[in-house]
Amino acid sequence: KTVPLSDAKILQDAKGVAISPEEARDTIFKILDTTKLNDTQIKQLRDGLEAIVFAPNNQYLSTDKRDADKLDIKSTKYDVAGAYTDSELATINREYAVRKELADKVLDKMKRLNKINIDLNRQANYVSDFADNWIKFYDWKDYVPLKGKALSEEAELLNIESQKLGGELQDVAYTFEGRITPPDNPVLQVMADSALAALRVGRKDVTQSIYNAVQQGLIKGSIKELTFYDRNNLKKLEEYKGESKVFHYMDNGNVAVIKLDDAAQREAIRRTYKETHPLIDRLNKATSLIGQLHTRYNVAFAPVNFVRDVLTNAYTLGAELGPTESFRYLGAVAAGIVREQYKAGRFSYYYARGNTAKIKELAAKDAYYRDMMEYVKTGGRVSYIAGLAPKGQYEELYKSAAGGRILNTKAQIQRFFDLWIDSFELTARVAAYRLTKSNEKAELVKAGKSEAEAEQAARIKAAAYAKNLANFEQIGEWGKGLGAWFMFFRPAATGAVRAMEAIAPAFMDVRQAKYRLPE
């Protein structure tokens, strides 16, 4: 890609026009950036470039003495696996030989995970047809070992998540599609990338909605589309950075850079998940730790909080859906606490251990397990903000992979308390999910939707509604600041705002209330 080639017009293109070897390579790269190609066409381009770069007697290489270092294949310019010395590589190979059987098992799983990663990124339009051209052009198969090391500019192309191929256009962690410096552990890097690939698929329609809303003038902003060729050849990316930008990956390989002009709208869309100051961050952690002694590590808290949550949810349901639904919800929870509490605890146990096979087995036999699985799969338990930037994924993986007897013991203690709390919270939320889904499905069938269509749409609405009965991600910059100083301010404020939302229509005139309703 970067070996210096001659700029003398000593070749001919397909039309017989004289071109230089350097121009021929540029033409090949432009075709890869702008044209969807099949495997045969990609191989022809690769063979054509190799015929120039590796021609007998180096006849097409540059003769400029200033390019001497790049004309040496042993130059550090071509260290595509990172800045390893020969002695470091020799040490790695010796260690690999000793542990080959175990290492190969890990590598095999990482390669399989990478394949899934690329497939998911294709679904999210994050890896486009043009990125596919490059992946096939370089015949990537053993990609895992390149993860984690800082790559040279020349080697960056070999990174599937590179900014030029499929990656984001900036390194700002607080933007909607943020990045941070990758860790030096390639195994955790692959796992984090795969988690992010799944999240990209999930939020593809979210960025599409933002794109549509800006186009229609519902959200104040502007859109600039960059083609894959533009992205691969941009010299400066500064104008595409910043917290006001949202990136929408399009199915034609373009990236729509959406600039959100209204600060309040931007906050509502993105939320504030970048701490405004390190002091606020530390205070939040300290306040949270003290608060957890009252909540997370207090066995009595879960049942007390459960009653409070149920009454709050009943109030919200009654205000928004009518008093009848409030009593139906209370009845469902009362029945559930007797019949279903054990099931919620059991579900949480298997969910925490990633035993989805057991959950599916239980769901096939029992409607309550089925509804819990639906609620979780539809996003009722997802921390959406954690999915907006890789930082959250890396931190979670590092914590879970930390090891050590003390850490493992601490994790086991936390797991016990978390499962205890989770079983109560899940019971309250799933009761709301089942009630809302039942109502919504009946309405949709009455409106003429098929059973399958009504079922799918009702699941989504019910999961969103149950999650948003108390969504602690909906906290702004001021909320985070006050939450750092006052214990339980954030949950209290979230509950208060949700309660005000529920009764707000009572304080509006008919015109305002009608305006706020969906079409």
Side-chain angles (χ1 to χ4, degrees), residues 117-167:
N117 176 355
I118 294 170
D119 288 343
L120 288 170
N121 277 327
R122 281 197 187 100
Q123 291 179 42
N125 298 331
Y126 194 75
V127 171
S128 65
D129 290 334
F130 309 121
D132 255 343
N133 287 347
W134 285 97
I135 291 168
K136 290 173 182 174
F137 188 77
Y138 277 96
D139 195 25
W140 279 312
K141 287 191 176 71
D142 300 309
Y143 171 61
V144 178
L146 297 178
K147 289 269 186 181
K149 275 287 180 183
L151 304 180
S152 65
E153 184 180 345
E154 288 81 5
E156 175 66 7
L157 182 62
L158 287 171
N159 177 9
I160 292 174
E161 259 93 30
S162 77
Q163 292 181 13
K164 293 190 173 183
L165 269 196

Side-chain angles (χ1 to χ4, degrees), residues 231-281:
R231 294 158 59 193
N232 213 356
N233 292 279
L234 279 174
K235 299 298 181 190
K236 281 191 168 185
L237 299 173
E238 277 71 18
E239 64 179 291
Y240 305 111
K241 294 182 178 182
E243 61 183 357
S244 65
K245 309 295 196 307
V246 171
F247 298 101
H248 172 56
Y249 290 83
M250 309 176 78
D251 55 12
N252 62 1
N254 292 357
V255 172
V257 183
I258 307 167
K259 182 174 179 290
L260 303 173
D261 294 334
D262 186 282
Q265 289 181 341
R266 184 168 67 241
E267 192 75 7
I269 290 166
R270 288 178 41 258
R271 307 296 179 200
T272 302
Y273 60 94
K274 173 183 178 283
E275 300 293 359
T276 52
H277 194 281
L279 175 62
I280 298 293
D281 190 20

Side-chain angles (χ1 to χ4, degrees), residues 188 296 391-403 407-408 410-411 414:
L188 294 184
R296 186 179 193 178
K391 186 177 180 182
Q393 297 298 321
Y394 296 139
E395 287 177 347
E396 286 303 310
L397 286 164
Y398 271 118
K399 277 191 281 185
S400 62
L407 281 170
N408 285 340
K410 180 190 174 191
Q414 285 179 343

Side-chain angles (χ1 to χ4, degrees), residues 5 11 21 24-25 28 47-55 60-61:
L5 295 177
L11 295 175
R25 177 172 57 191
I28 288 171
D47 291 344
L49 184 57
E50 288 195 9
I52 295 171
V53 173
F54 301 112
Y60 299 130
L61 298 186

Side-chain angles (χ1 to χ4, degrees), residues 180-252:
I180 62 166
T181 305
D184 283 335
N185 186 321
V187 175
L188 294 184
Q189 177 76 39
V190 173
M191 293 165 68
D193 287 341
S194 299
L196 288 166
L199 285 158
R200 286 184 193 115
V201 177
R203 68 168 176 258
K204 180 174 70 170
D205 292 340
V206 175
T207 56
Q208 179 71 62
S209 299
I210 298 167
Y211 176 88
N212 294 346
V214 171
Q215 275 198 324
Q216 295 163 17
L218 301 172
I219 292 175
K220 295 176 184 176
S222 57
I223 298 171
K224 182 178 176 62
E225 278 192 36
L226 296 176
T227 67
F228 189 84
Y229 179 76
D230 292 333
R231 294 158 59 193
N232 213 356
N233 292 279
L234 279 174
K235 299 298 181 190
K236 281 191 168 185
L237 299 173
E238 277 71 18
E239 64 179 291
Y240 305 111
K241 294 182 178 182
E243 61 183 357
S244 65
K245 309 295 196 307
V246 171
F247 298 101
H248 172 56
Y249 290 83
M250 309 176 78
D251 55 12
N252 62 1

Side-chain angles (χ1 to χ4, degrees), residues 372-394:
M372 280 190 287
M373 186 173 75
E374 280 181 7
Y375 172 67
V376 170
K377 281 184 71 175
T378 311
R381 289 277 300 275
V382 171
S383 177
Y384 188 73
I385 300 304
L388 295 180
K391 186 177 180 182
Q393 297 298 321
Y394 296 139

